[in-house]
Amino acid sequence: MGKVVLKVNDLAAAYRKNTVLHDVNFAVEAGSLTGIVGPNGAGKSTLIKTLLELHPALTGEVQFFGASFKKMKTRIGYVPQRGSVDWDFPTIALDVVMMGLYGQIGWLRRPAKLHQEKAYEALDKMGMADYAERQISQLSGGQQQRVFLARALVQNADLYFMDEPLAGVDAATERAIMNILKELKATGKTVLVVHHDLQTVEDYFDHVLFLNRTVVEHGRTAQVFTDENIAAAYGGNMRGMRGGKFHVVRPVEQ
Amino acid sequence: MTYTAWILVTASLVGMSCGVIGVFLILRKMAMMADAISHTVLLGIVIAFIITRELSGVHMLIGAIFAGILTALFIQWLHSLDVPQDASIGTVFTTLFALGVILIESFVGNAHLDVQHALMGEITFIPWDKVSLPIIGEVPKATALLALVFLIVLISIIAFYKEWKITTFDPALAASLGIPVLFMHYVFMSLVSITTVASFDAVGAIMVVAMLITPAASAYLWTERLSMMVLLSGCFGVISAVVGYYIAAWIDTSISGSMAFATGILFLFSFLFAPNHGLISKFLKPVKTSAME
C-alpha cells in the first residue's frame, strides 16, 4: 500500500438520536480513485460531511496527511451534491468557480485578475468556457455539475471528496467528469467519489468502499467488487448477477 | 434643512439600509426571520431602557443586537429539538415580543416608548427631536442613528462581500474552506437587528418588514448579478420611501403606511415589467425549449 493520505479510526455519527455511522475504519492511499457505494440511507453523504467536520462526529479520529483536518484544510477539496445549492442565486458560472479560491484569497481582499483567469481556465478544462458569463440558472444539470467540478479544480487540492457528481448528468458530462478524475489521479491526487451506479464501478474506480452504516468492505476494485460484497452491502434484495444486470433503484436526492 | 428634507433623508436611509440587508435575507431564505427580529428587538430596547433609564441610540443598538441574537439562538435551539423551523420562529418571536409588551406596560410607562409607537413608528415627529453633532450641526436623533447604522451595514457588506456571497450560496463549501459560517450567521442577525431598531422610529416594527423584504424581492426580478441586486434594492428602498412620503402628503395619511404601500406598488411594477422574470416579457418571448432536445 502506498502513502496513506486519509486515515479514519472508529468514526461514528448520528442525526439526533439515530446513529447513521458506526465503527467506521479505513485508510486511503495517495493517488487512488475510490468509489463509495451503498444503498440509500447508508450514510455516504454523512460520511463525507463528518470527515470534513460539516457534521459532528460522535466518536473517532480522522487524519489527513498525518495531521488534523484544520491543519490540512487547504489541501482538501469538496464538491457538494448539486442539489444542495440554490441555482437561482443571482450569479454567473465564472463567479461560482471563483468561490473555490475564496479561501486562498483571504479576508478583506477582492478576487483579482489572476483569480479570474484561473477560474476561466478551469471552466475551459471542463468544456464550459463559452458559458463563463452565463447566469447559473440557465445552465443544464450537467453544465451545473461541470461548474462544480471546475470550482474543485481551481482549489488545486491534493485530496478531493465528491458527493454524487455523476447523478443526473448527461453522457457527455459523465465522460468529461471521468476524464478529469482520471487526470487528477494521474497527477497524484486522491479522489473519493460517492457513486450510485454499480454498473460503472469497475470501469471508473480502482478502489471501492462498500458502505452501509459501517464499512462493509474496502479495497482494490478487482478484489473486492464481488457479488458477495454487493449483497452484503445492499442486503439480500440485491440480486447480484454480474455483467450489467443489476437492478438498482437510483437514489433520489438526499 | 427643511422639515420635509429631514423626513426624506431619514426615510431614504431606512430604504437604503433595509434594501441592502434585505437582499441577503431573501437569498438566505430568511424572510421570516426579519419578521421575527423586527418584533423581538422591542424586548431588547425595553431591557436596555430598564437598565440605563434612557432611550439613547447606542443603548438601543446594543439591546437590539442582544435581542436579535437571542432570537436566532432560541429558534436554532427549538429547531434542533425537532420543532419545525416555521413553528420555532412563530413561537419564539411572539413570546419574546409579548414579554417586551408586558415589560413596557408594567415597568416603563414612558411617553417615548409605547407599543403603538413601536409597531407603527412616527416619522412625522423625527425632525423635532434634534441633537447637535460636531461639524454637521443639528441633526435629528433618529436620522443620526440611521446614518450610523447605514454606514455599519454598508462597510460590513462591502468589506466581507465575498464571504457573504459564498456563505449565502454554498455554506457547505464555505465551511470546508474555513470560513466561519455560523459566526457570520450571527453577525448577519446582528446587522438585521440594528437595521430594524434604527428604522423603528421612522417606520415601526411592522412596516420595517416591508422595507426589508419587498425592495429586495423586486430587485431579484430585475438582475442576475448579486452586486447589481444589492444596488437596485437600495435604490428601490429610497424610491419607495420618497414616493411613499408624497403619497402620504397628497392624501394626508400615515407616512410609514404609504411607504410600505409604495414598496408593494414597486414590486407589482417589477413583477409585470422586469426584463427576464416579468409577466409581460414571459408573454412576449416564446418559452425556451430546454437543453434536452
Side-chain angles (χ1 to χ4, degrees):
Chain A
M1 197 161 177
K3 212 177 120 207
V4 170
V5 294
L6 170 66
K7 193 159 171 43
V8 181
N9 274 329
D10 192 28
L11 192 75
Y15 277 105
R16 313 257 159 76
K17 288 203 174 86
N18 304 323
T19 308
V20 182
L21 291 169
H22 62 88
D23 305 303
V24 175
N25 293 286
F26 66 95
V28 175
E29 63 184 282
S32 60
L33 179 51
T34 305
I36 301 174
V37 297
N40 288 338
K44 302 184 294 279
S45 293
T46 310
L47 173 64
I48 290 189
K49 285 184 186 155
T50 312
L51 293 175
L52 299 177
E53 298 185 2
L54 298 171
H55 184 83
L58 291 178
T59 63
E61 190 203 9
V62 183
Q63 282 198 337
F64 296 90
F65 307 101
S68 70
F69 173 72
K70 292 234 154 42
K71 282 189 187 137
M72 290 299 157
K73 222 169 216 172
T74 54
R75 296 180 65 184
I76 300 164
Y78 173 45
V79 180
Q81 281 186 17
R82 183 161 51 88
S84 68
V85 304
D86 173 15
W87 290 93
D88 284 326
F89 192 87
T91 193
I92 58 170
L94 191 70
D95 276 350
V96 173
V97 178
M98 264 196 292
M99 286 180 190
L101 295 165
Y102 280 9
Q104 298 167 33
I105 295 171
W107 292 91
L108 297 174
R109 287 159 183 267
R110 302 195 156 266
K113 188 119 191 120
L114 166 84
H115 302 113
Q116 222 166 43
E117 279 161 13
K118 270 191 187 174
Y120 190 80
E121 241 169 65
L123 272 176
D124 194 27
K125 214 166 181 184
M126 295 305 305
M128 289 284 294
D130 293 342
Y131 297 89
E133 302 287 325
R134 198 65 82 82
Q135 151 71 14
I136 53 173
S137 65
Q138 293 168 5
L139 302 173
S140 72
Q143 289 167 337
Q144 291 172 345
Q145 193 65 60
R146 290 187 200 209
V147 169
F148 259 20
L149 258 287
R151 188 175 71 177
L153 288 181
V154 295
Q155 280 184 261
N156 195 23
D158 293 318
L159 172 60
Y160 282 106
F161 294 90
M162 303 188 182
D163 202 346
E164 302 251 19
L166 300 174
V169 302
D170 53 284
T173 300
E174 182 153 339
R175 274 195 303 278
I177 291 176
M178 283 321 298
N179 284 338
I180 290 296
L181 294 192
K182 288 190 172 137
E183 204 181 305
L184 286 173
K185 174 184 153 64
T187 52
K189 316 261 186 190
T190 313
V191 187
L192 283 90
V193 180
V194 172
H195 192 58
H196 61 278
D197 185 1
L198 287 177
Q199 298 187 41
T200 50
V201 168
E202 286 170 297
D203 293 336
Y204 289 172
F205 304 106
D206 55 32
H207 283 69
V208 63
L209 190 152
F210 286 101
L211 191 77
N212 194 349
R213 306 202 162 222
T214 186
V215 178
V216 176
E217 189 60 78
H218 174 222
R220 290 192 170 279
T221 310
Q223 280 142 31
V224 304
F225 196 69
T226 60
D227 285 350
E228 294 76 47
N229 284 334
I230 295 169
Y234 283 80
N237 56 8
M238 186 65 214
R239 264 181 271 285
M241 291 181 288
R242 307 295 300 278
K245 291 193 202 71
F246 293 110
H247 302 287
V248 189
V249 180
R250 297 221 174 190
V252 287
E253 306 245 299
Q254 284 175 347
Chain B
M1 282 213 283
T2 64
Y3 174 82
T4 308
W6 278 124
I7 292 209
L8 286 178
V9 168
T10 312
S12 301
L13 282 168
V14 172
M16 282 194 284
S17 317
C18 291
V20 170
I21 282 292
V23 167
F24 293 94
L25 270 173
I26 286 199
L27 293 176
R28 287 168 172 248
K29 318 229 178 314
M30 285 165 50
M32 272 300 283
M33 276 304 265
D35 199 13
I37 285 186
S38 71
H39 284 76
T40 53
V41 287
L42 181 70
L43 178 65
I45 295 173
V46 178
I47 290 176
F49 182 82
I50 290 174
I51 294 172
T52 64
R53 281 284 147 194
E54 56 183 317
L55 209 58
S56 85
V58 180
H59 294 136
M60 273 166 61
L61 286 190
I62 294 171
I65 291 176
F66 167 77
I69 291 181
L70 197 69
T71 311
L73 277 174
F74 271 145
I75 289 170
Q76 202 110 10
W77 175 65
L78 274 189
H79 185 53
S80 75
L81 295 176
D82 268 351
V83 181
Q85 184 81 21
D86 49 353
S88 346
I89 294 178
T91 310
V92 170
F93 96 77
T94 46
T95 308
L96 294 183
F97 177 68
L99 194 60
V101 171
I102 291 174
L103 287 178
I104 286 190
E105 298 291 334
S106 47
F107 291 103
V108 182
N110 178 296
H112 288 289
L113 195 59
D114 62 73
V115 177
Q116 177 71 17
H117 186 144
L119 283 180
M120 302 303 293
E122 200 38 89
I123 201 166
T124 28
F125 297 144
I126 281 177
W128 309 124
D129 189 13
K130 284 192 179 166
V131 59
S132 186
L133 291 179
I135 308 168
I136 315 165
E138 294 257 296
V139 176
K141 267 188 193 164
T143 316
L145 184 65
L146 266 165
L148 174 70
V149 165
F150 176 62
L151 268 183
I152 296 174
V153 167
L154 202 64
I155 291 171
S156 325
I157 296 296
I158 291 177
F160 303 109
Y161 183 73
K162 69 179 193 307
E163 283 78 15
W164 293 121
K165 188 170 178 176
I166 192 173
T167 52
T168 305
F169 176 65
D170 193 345
L173 177 82
S176 81
L177 291 177
I179 293 167
V181 177
L182 197 64
F183 176 71
M184 292 200 65
H185 170 72
Y186 288 115
V187 171
F188 183 66
M189 288 293 101
S190 305
L191 289 178
V192 175
S193 307
I194 60 171
T195 308
T196 309
V197 78
S199 311
F200 242 59
D201 260 343
V203 294
I206 297 178
M207 299 309 174
V208 76
V209 181
M211 298 303 278
L212 281 166
I213 305 301
T214 326
S218 310
Y220 184 76
L221 297 173
W222 287 92
T223 178
E224 285 161 349
R225 298 292 187 104
L226 178 61
S227 49
M228 203 53 178
M229 187 177 165
V230 173
L231 198 74
L232 273 180
S233 181
C235 291
F236 286 171
V238 174
I239 293 172
S240 310
V242 174
V243 170
Y245 175 77
Y246 284 106
I247 293 178
W250 175 42
I251 51 176
D252 191 20
T253 183
S254 151
I255 296 177
S256 59
S258 304
M259 293 199 309
F261 184 64
T263 64
I265 294 177
L266 205 74
F267 179 80
L268 185 66
F269 179 78
S270 308
F271 186 69
L272 291 175
F273 299 108
N276 286 320
H277 302 283
L279 209 57
I280 287 175
S281 81
K282 275 181 191 157
F283 262 116
L284 294 179
K285 269 186 242 167
V287 180
K288 265 189 222 159
T289 40
S290 67
M292 301 290 278
E293 59 184 11

